[in-house]
Amino acid sequence: MMKNLAASSGRTVAEVEGDFINNIPMDRLGAPEEIARLVTFLASDMAANMTGTSITADGGWTKSLA
């Protein structure tokens, strides 16, 4: 995605990534391992009582848009 945005906007991948990071309160992109831990939890018995919910794992980006 970053490569495509960079190519279509005439900027470098680092510039595009920097723009994304500037809008994330945690000041970094999430790591694949962080999403994997969430998926592991949701697939476990610990999440057995969860139904019909949406979990946002975006470092606070969505909240900063509100």
Side-chain angles (χ1 to χ4, degrees), residues 5-61:
L5 288 171
S8 67
S9 66
R11 298 182 305 155
T12 67
V13 172
E15 290 171 329
V16 171
E17 186 175 302
D19 287 346
F20 271 89
I21 291 172
N22 286 338
N23 292 311
I24 299 172
M26 290 184 68
D27 202 34
R28 66 181 178 81
L29 297 174
E33 294 81 10
E34 293 172 307
I35 302 303
R37 285 192 295 267
L38 175 59
V39 170
T40 301
F41 166 72
L42 292 172
S44 75
D45 287 339
M46 290 185 287
N49 201 37
M50 293 180 70
T51 60
T53 190
S54 175
I55 298 172
T56 303
D58 65 2
W61 181 76

